[in-house]
Structure formats: structure tokens, C-alpha cells
Amino acid sequence: EIVLTQSPVTLSLSPGERATLSCRPSQSISSSLAWYQRKPGQTPRLLIYDTSFRATGIPARFTGSASGTHFTLTINNLEPEDFAIYYCQQRTSWPFTFGGGTRVESK
Amino acid sequence: QVRLEESGGGLVKPGGSLRLSCAASRFTFSDYSMAWIRQTPGKGLECISYISRDGTTIHYADSVKGRFTISRDNAKNSLSLQMTNLRAEDTAVYHCAREGPTWFFDYWGQGTLITVSS
């Protein structure tokens, strides 16, 4: 099973700042990684798929990237509605696995 | 707007059984693979079962293999999860989710809570 390690667990930032979230897989997953946003009382929302492609309707301030086996979600110019929990997920091999999440909270 | 609605959750004793259903609407159900994903405070999000659009490919997580059975009825736009020999560690919110054109989960149901306790 591919384990995804997300860091940090919590990120405390102010609106307008940049959030940088990390996801490290325990083995190579090529580019088959997605990021989801989850707010209280809502279902997860697909933000990024295949490492760097924004899903339909996702604002350009959300950017996905990778360097080697290290994947990053960057949120530029944080908006109030961006404070949420973010999860990465791989589908390179079954079982599809999720990271433990990073909570982006308002400082 | 795509709609996925789970039902069938509740309180069940260890060793008991339960059947979850997911009613899909506002999209062509037979065109999409589906999955059951559960969330617990301790283990986070866990994709426990997956079924291809025609039902010929099925996967189970090791944690539920041999105890849970996924199925679908494309004529009724319905996804099911038969759960047997339930354990305390199966306590979670269970979501059905659609695997979208991106091959990731683009729509999720709100979930149904299963509590396994004596």
C-alpha cells in the first residue's frame, strides 16, 4: 500500500498569504495524484488532478506541482473561503490512498 | 447537478451486518466507476471498495476483504455495499463517490454513519 504523508498537519496563515502544502508518497506514483479540499459539513471537492491540472471551476490561485516524488499544493493569496482541510490522494495502484490531511487555518 | 445519496447506516453490534445503498441521479450512472470511501477520526479517508462501470472490475481494501461486497445496478442507478461481520473499527462515515473523467473522485455523497458497538 502506498502511504501518503502530508505536512504540515496544520498551517496557520492570514488571508492574502501563500499556503504551501506537501504530500510525500512512500513509493513512486508517477503523476497520478490529486488534491481535495474539505470544509465542515461539505463533501471533498476535487481541486487538482494528475499533479497539476485544475479541476473544473477551480480558481487559478490553486497550483499543483511535483519535484521528484515530492508533491506540492500551493494556494496563492489565500481567500477566507480557502481555510479548510486539504487531502492528497493517489490512484497509481490499488488501494487508492489518501494523505492524513493538512488543516489550513486562519491565524 | 450530480447527486449521490447514501442510506442504510446506523448502530449495529459487533459481528452484525448492514447494507448501504447509494442512489445516483442527474448523470448517466452506467458510464462511471464508483467507490465507497469511509472516514474515521483515527484513520482519515480510506477507499475501501471500487467497482468499474460495468461491474467487471472490483477491488477491496484488505481491511474489508472477505467481509464486504460491493455491487451496482445500472438499471436502477444504484450502488450497494453489503457489510458483514462488522467490527468496532468499521465505525465511520461511509461515502459513495464517483470516479470522474479525470480518474479521480469528482462527486461524493454526504455520507452515512455506521457505528459498530455493543
Side-chain angles (χ1 to χ4, degrees):
Chain A
E1 173 176 316
I2 298 174
V3 176
L4 300 178
T5 302
Q6 289 190 244
S7 61
V9 172
T10 304
L11 204 46
S12 298
L13 295 167
S14 300
E17 291 191 300
R18 173 184 295 170
T20 303
L21 288 66
S22 170
C23 178
R24 290 184 182 270
S26 59
Q27 56 188 275
S28 176
I29 59 170
S30 67
S31 63
S32 195
L33 184 115
W35 292 92
Y36 298 84
Q37 175 193 66
R38 188 164 197 184
K39 298 179 183 180
Q42 297 185 18
T43 60
R45 175 191 183 195
L46 179 64
L47 299 175
I48 302 288
Y49 66 95
D50 288 348
T51 299
S52 60
F53 294 89
R54 276 186 293 274
T56 303
I58 302 304
R61 65 180 182 274
F62 292 91
T63 303
S65 62
S67 176
T69 58
H70 177 203
F71 295 81
T72 300
L73 174 69
T74 303
I75 313 170
N76 290 303
N77 191 21
L78 274 167
E79 297 282 348
E81 63 266 27
D82 298 336
F83 295 102
I85 301 175
Y86 293 83
Y87 297 94
C88 57
Q89 180 231 327
Q90 67 81 23
R91 69 163 336 275
T92 292
S93 64
W94 182 262
F96 304 148
T97 50
F98 292 84
T102 290
R103 178 185 300 273
V104 178
E105 64 177 26
S106 181
K107 188 189 296 184
Chain B
Q1 177 74 324
V2 167
R3 186 175 173 87
L4 298 170
E5 188 168 4
E6 304 91 345
S7 59
L11 175 64
V12 61
K13 289 182 167 51
S17 299
L18 216 52
R19 185 178 183 89
L20 302 185
S21 296
C22 171
S25 59
R26 303 177 190 173
F27 68 101
T28 304
F29 182 69
S30 58
D31 284 349
Y32 295 88
S33 297
M34 300 291 295
W36 286 98
I37 299 169
R38 68 185 182 186
Q39 179 153 33
T40 64
K43 287 200 71 177
L45 290 164
E46 182 184 14
C47 191
I48 58 169
S49 191
Y50 170 96
I51 186 168
S52 60
R53 51 189 176 181
D54 61 1
T56 57
T57 298
I58 287 175
H59 295 302
Y60 296 102
D62 286 346
S63 57
V64 306
K65 198 175 294 183
R67 300 187 299 123
F68 291 10
T69 303
I70 192 172
S71 61
R72 64 188 297 159
D73 185 335
N74 285 343
K76 295 183 178 179
N77 296 330
S78 179
L79 177 73
S80 296
L81 186 69
Q82 179 66 46
M83 311 166 71
T84 63
N85 192 18
L86 283 160
R87 306 166 180 168
E89 54 264 35
D90 295 319
T91 295
V93 175
Y94 287 72
H95 300 270
C96 60
R98 187 183 89 165
E99 182 181 79
T102 65
W103 302 101
F104 289 93
F105 301 114
D106 61 352
Y107 286 96
W108 300 53
Q110 287 291 337
T112 187
L113 174 63
I114 292 176
T115 302
V116 183
S117 174
S118 54

